[in-house]
Amino acid sequence: MSEKETEISELGEFGLIDRLTKDFPLKNPETKLGVGDDAAVLTFGEKDVVVTTDLLLEGIHFDLRYVPLQHLGYKSAIVNFSDIYAMGATPRQITVSIGVSSRFTVEHIETLYSGIRRACEVYGVDLVGGDTSASVTGLVISITCIGDVAKGEEVRRTGAKPTDIICVSGDLGAAFMGLQLLERENSVAAGQKDFQPDFAGKEYILERQLKPEARRDIVELLKQKDIKPTSMIDVSDGLSSELLHICKESNVGCRVYEDKLPIDYQTALMAEEFNMNLVTAAMNGGEDYELLFTVPLTDHEKVEKMEGVKMIGYVTEPTLGAALVTRDGGEIPIKAQGWNAFNH
Amino acid sequence: MSEKETEISELGEFGLIDRLTKDFPLKNPETKLGVGDDAAVLTFGEKDVVVTTDLLLEGIHFDLRYVPLQHLGYKSAIVNFSDIYAMGATPRQITVSIGVSSRFTVEHIETLYSGIRRACEVYGVDLVGGDTSASVTGLVISITCIGDVAKGEEVRRTGAKPTDIICVSGDLGAAFMGLQLLERENSVAAGQKDFQPDFAGKEYILERQLKPEARRDIVELLKQKDIKPTSMIDVSDGLSSELLHICKESNVGCRVYEDKLPIDYQTALMAEEFNMNLVTAAMNGGEDYELLFTVPLTDHEKVEKMEGVKMIGYVTEPTLGAALVTRDGGEIPIKAQGWNAFNH
């Protein structure tokens, strides 16, 4: 800790909350009362309310040796916004609870919050509450996000029907390859003084890992084009895992084409450098925060024209199961090999 | 781990969530969609929505050497319900996120959830979401509670006016003395095989610490008697701390009478046994989860007749500050000495 830094115990819990939350002006008319009472008060009128929550733990979900605190704050908020968009809803409020061990100063936590604030600014979300506490070891971040959606307009995972087209936004596997790169550079750096990792030409995969975005644009585009997906989910644990969720919840099967998977050039190069299977990275890497959704066959022309969306397969009868159709026409059953915190 | 127990990694994250949440039937018509999608969907019509959140960390907020997991689950839910009642609102839904280290089995977590389920049953609350994760060390519990209140009927901390009567429900200091007792017995037990602590005659203070309740009954009674408090807060960090919150947020002062503080007989006995100052325990002990509220002087007769509520003082002009009036008529300035996680 440098001389300019402040120990959290100097401020105490309420002092810390005041300092962290003072730069979060409320933006939404749906927020009647923010931080500072026993609970926040929100007013949605006739709209429905959607709620999601995520718990992020140091040493499990993030490694502060190579994740800057500001990016961590940004990403912690984004992963929640992404879940709200995956319901076809709009995020409006978040609560942020943090547990911090004594190695963190007030300035560290302010840096974390500056990332959360930036995400709230970009996505128009209000910080309305939270909790701060000491922790015995490491950093704990728990965020709950609340959003709204016109009554009955939420998009669940349950409505996919055979012959529906399966679509995914953006590209897949980049965040995973970015993580591989960061972990390699970190282990190379260990013990080497003044080591400077070379990230030239790899900016995209790093950004996908460190500073992902939520696909608000896709949800807005779907509304503009009057497309209501029959099911939707965000890709956090990997495409395979999310496809299986939709298949299970909608009681359907699916076929997804290997040669239709959207993969960025940098992702492919990095997989080659690491001698990793590119399709595995795209199918199981996770942390893409893209939207996976299904639309009726009759929307084919509409989605074909949507920028940033690719049709990757179709929904089948449940008896056919979920499979990846390889380039040579073979079929590989899809299994969830996505990220599992309990096998980490 | 006994042979009958199950390692969490055997089930994986989704298997664990399925197992933990299957016995939580939805009870509220406000809950349209519970666990199992990207987000829960809630529908409140024209009512306003209130949201609160609490983060509980092992080694900071609880000690598993003497807190049974089932009680911990119950209490974790209750502390959130208490915040919702303190807004004059009704808790409807919770999300529960947990981080568990490898020393916990599936059965441990089921025991924790059985306490949460019990609290949900007693208070009519739906479990609608959450997150489960491994943790590097210890148990992490993050709960967010959502409630509703008729539009404009929420009770904030901001409305107390000079001459208002200050009221508190139940009694104070018991949970704190219960904690002292548990900590003493635990340290006596350390190293003594087959040690059996003697808790006879101390059931009340133990229950106040281990299995507190939220004061739904008081909120309902206030409505029945057509009393709308001008301010309200729940006593979690200690009466002193909560009084200062109301004074600050309402820009008022207060006088509270030492001889009016509601204190149970067991609390007093225990304080004597520990040679502790009883008033300090009542003012600063915390974890009472009682409701502290102010009402206009005109409601004097109404609150006088309210069972389980005591008038302990009155609101003053801000210039007079906050003070405790002692039995001999002296005044001691009230300072927040409540529980602070950062000085723990």
Side-chain angles (χ1 to χ4, degrees):
Chain A
M1 196 170 86
S2 82
E3 275 180 51
K4 277 191 289 185
E5 294 187 75
T6 319
E7 285 209 45
I8 290 172
S9 58
E10 287 177 47
L11 290 182
E13 184 179 349
F14 301 121
L16 180 63
I17 291 173
D18 285 349
R19 183 144 158 190
L20 293 176
T21 57
K22 71 176 161 49
D23 292 330
F24 282 84
L26 299 178
K27 297 172 282 280
N28 285 300
E30 291 85 0
T31 309
K32 256 176 90 176
L33 177 67
V35 174
D37 214 301
D38 296 289
V41 184
L42 317 175
T43 188
F44 292 103
E46 279 296 320
K47 285 181 294 181
D48 280 345
V49 176
V50 289
V51 182
T52 187
T53 190
D54 257 299
L55 178 65
L56 300 171
L57 302 175
E58 184 177 353
I60 303 287
H61 302 92
F62 55 88
D63 187 332
L64 290 175
R65 284 173 304 176
Y66 52 79
V67 177
L69 279 165
Q70 192 166 5
H71 284 90
L72 179 62
Y74 193 86
K75 184 170 174 174
S76 303
I78 293 297
V79 301
N80 280 282
F81 301 167
S82 181
D83 276 318
I84 299 290
Y85 288 121
M87 298 300 288
T90 307
R92 300 287 183 196
Q93 293 94 9
I94 52 169
T95 63
V96 177
S97 293
I98 51 165
V100 281
S101 63
S102 56
R103 74 175 205 275
F104 293 92
T105 64
V106 172
E107 288 73 14
H108 287 138
I109 305 305
E110 284 186 315
T111 305
L112 177 77
Y113 267 68
S114 72
I116 296 172
R117 187 169 62 238
R118 182 73 190 131
C120 285
E121 284 164 5
V122 172
Y123 291 86
V125 172
D126 292 332
L127 179 80
V128 299
D131 198 7
T132 62
S133 170
S135 106
V136 177
T137 52
L139 181 60
V140 175
I141 307 170
S142 176
I143 296 189
T144 297
C145 186
I146 295 158
D148 59 26
V149 63
K151 205 170 268 299
E153 290 299 309
E154 79 271 9
V155 183
R156 304 188 182 191
R157 299 176 178 176
T158 49
K161 297 268 178 298
T163 77
D164 280 359
I165 307 168
I166 301 172
C167 306
V168 70
S169 65
D171 60 74
L172 302 169
F176 176 75
M177 292 316 306
L179 181 63
Q180 303 308 310
L181 176 62
L182 284 165
E183 286 187 343
R184 182 184 71 181
E185 297 301 302
N186 186 60
S187 67
V188 171
Q192 274 184 262
K193 223 183 133 202
D194 302 327
F195 174 82
Q196 274 295 341
D198 180 15
F199 289 144
K202 287 153 185 162
E203 296 81 3
Y204 179 68
I205 60 171
L206 286 174
E207 184 158 330
R208 292 285 283 173
Q209 170 57 228
L210 294 174
K211 195 170 171 289
E213 299 292 344
R215 298 309 303 259
R216 168 172 57 180
D217 55 340
I218 298 293
V219 173
E220 286 171 354
L221 206 55
L222 286 168
K223 274 186 198 138
Q224 274 175 34
K225 295 192 174 274
D226 202 23
I227 302 171
K228 187 174 176 189
T230 50
S231 71
M232 187 152 64
I233 190 170
D234 73 321
V235 183
S236 52
D237 296 328
L239 185 68
S240 296
S241 175
E242 317 307 351
L243 282 168
L244 291 177
H245 279 305
I246 285 185
C247 287
K248 186 186 165 199
E249 298 296 327
S250 295
N251 189 31
V252 293
C254 72
R255 290 295 174 276
V256 162
Y257 294 90
E258 181 187 338
D259 62 0
K260 304 275 190 200
L261 295 176
I263 296 171
D264 185 81
Y265 181 68
Q266 280 189 19
T267 308
L269 275 187
M270 202 69 236
E272 201 177 305
E273 195 177 321
F274 275 108
N275 203 19
M276 279 181 163
N277 185 307
L278 181 59
V279 175
T280 304
M283 292 292 289
N284 301 314
E287 293 199 274
D288 301 300
Y289 302 108
E290 296 297 342
L291 291 174
L292 173 70
F293 57 95
T294 55
V295 298
L297 197 52
T298 47
D299 281 336
H300 182 278
E301 275 183 47
K302 282 188 193 168
V303 286
E304 198 169 30
K305 284 181 202 147
M306 272 183 81
E307 216 174 318
V309 169
K310 225 174 151 186
M311 298 182 281
I312 60 169
Y314 60 92
V315 178
T316 69
E317 294 294 335
T319 47
L320 293 177
L324 179 74
V325 182
T326 57
R327 284 170 205 274
D328 59 11
E331 287 196 356
I332 303 171
I334 293 174
K335 286 180 187 148
Q337 296 163 338
W339 194 82
N340 184 340
F342 292 108
N343 293 325
H344 198 58
Chain B
M1 197 170 86
S2 83
E3 274 180 50
K4 277 191 291 185
E5 294 187 77
T6 319
E7 286 210 46
I8 290 172
S9 57
E10 287 176 47
L11 290 182
E13 184 178 350
F14 301 120
L16 180 63
I17 291 173
D18 284 349
R19 184 145 159 190
L20 293 175
T21 58
K22 73 177 158 50
D23 292 329
F24 281 85
L26 299 178
K27 297 172 282 284
N28 285 300
E30 291 85 0
T31 308
K32 256 176 89 176
L33 177 68
V35 173
D37 214 302
D38 297 290
V41 184
L42 317 175
T43 187
F44 292 102
E46 279 296 321
K47 287 181 292 182
D48 280 346
V49 176
V50 289
V51 183
T52 186
T53 191
D54 257 299
L55 178 65
L56 300 171
L57 302 175
E58 185 176 353
I60 303 287
H61 302 92
F62 56 88
D63 187 332
L64 290 175
R65 284 172 304 176
Y66 52 80
V67 178
L69 279 166
Q70 193 166 6
H71 285 91
L72 179 62
Y74 193 87
K75 183 170 175 175
S76 304
I78 293 297
V79 301
N80 280 282
F81 300 167
S82 182
D83 276 318
I84 298 290
Y85 288 121
M87 298 300 288
T90 306
R92 299 286 183 197
Q93 293 94 7
I94 53 168
T95 64
V96 177
S97 294
I98 51 165
V100 282
S101 64
S102 55
R103 75 176 204 274
F104 294 92
T105 64
V106 171
E107 288 73 14
H108 287 137
I109 305 307
E110 284 187 314
T111 306
L112 177 78
Y113 267 68
S114 72
I116 296 172
R117 187 171 61 237
R118 182 75 191 129
C120 285
E121 283 164 6
V122 172
Y123 290 87
V125 172
D126 293 332
L127 178 80
V128 299
D131 197 7
T132 62
S133 171
S135 105
V136 177
T137 53
L139 181 60
V140 175
I141 306 171
S142 177
I143 295 189
T144 297
C145 186
I146 296 158
D148 58 27
V149 64
K151 205 170 268 298
E153 290 300 308
E154 80 272 8
V155 183
R156 305 188 182 192
R157 300 176 177 175
T158 48
K161 298 267 178 300
T163 78
D164 280 359
I165 307 169
I166 300 172
C167 306
V168 71
S169 64
D171 60 73
L172 301 169
F176 176 74
M177 293 316 304
L179 181 64
Q180 303 307 309
L181 177 62
L182 284 166
E183 286 187 343
R184 182 184 71 180
E185 298 300 302
N186 186 61
S187 66
V188 171
Q192 275 184 260
K193 223 184 133 203
D194 300 327
F195 173 82
Q196 274 295 341
D198 181 16
F199 290 145
K202 287 154 184 162
E203 295 81 2
Y204 179 68
I205 60 171
L206 286 175
E207 184 158 331
R208 291 286 284 173
Q209 170 56 227
L210 293 175
K211 195 170 170 289
E213 299 293 342
R215 298 309 303 258
R216 169 174 55 180
D217 55 339
I218 298 294
V219 172
E220 286 171 357
L221 206 56
L222 286 167
K223 274 187 198 138
Q224 274 174 34
K225 294 190 174 277
D226 202 25
I227 302 172
K228 188 176 174 187
T230 50
S231 70
M232 186 151 66
I233 189 170
D234 73 321
V235 183
S236 52
D237 296 328
L239 186 68
S240 296
S241 175
E242 316 309 350
L243 282 167
L244 291 177
H245 279 305
I246 285 184
C247 287
K248 185 186 166 200
E249 299 296 327
S250 294
N251 189 31
V252 293
C254 72
R255 289 297 174 273
V256 162
Y257 293 90
E258 181 186 340
D259 62 359
K260 304 276 190 201
L261 294 176
I263 296 171
D264 185 80
Y265 181 69
Q266 280 190 19
T267 308
L269 276 187
M270 201 70 236
E272 202 177 304
E273 196 177 319
F274 275 108
N275 204 19
M276 278 182 163
N277 185 307
L278 181 58
V279 175
T280 303
M283 292 291 290
N284 301 315
E287 294 199 275
D288 302 300
Y289 302 108
E290 297 296 342
L291 291 174
L292 173 70
F293 57 95
T294 56
V295 297
L297 197 51
T298 47
D299 281 334
H300 183 277
E301 277 183 46
K302 282 189 194 169
V303 287
E304 199 168 30
K305 286 181 200 148
M306 270 182 81
E307 216 174 317
V309 168
K310 225 173 151 189
M311 297 182 282
I312 60 169
Y314 61 90
V315 179
T316 70
E317 294 294 336
T319 47
L320 294 177
L324 179 74
V325 182
T326 57
R327 284 169 205 276
D328 60 10
E331 287 195 355
I332 303 172
I334 293 174
K335 285 178 186 151
Q337 294 163 340
W339 194 82
N340 184 340
F342 292 107
N343 293 324
H344 199 58

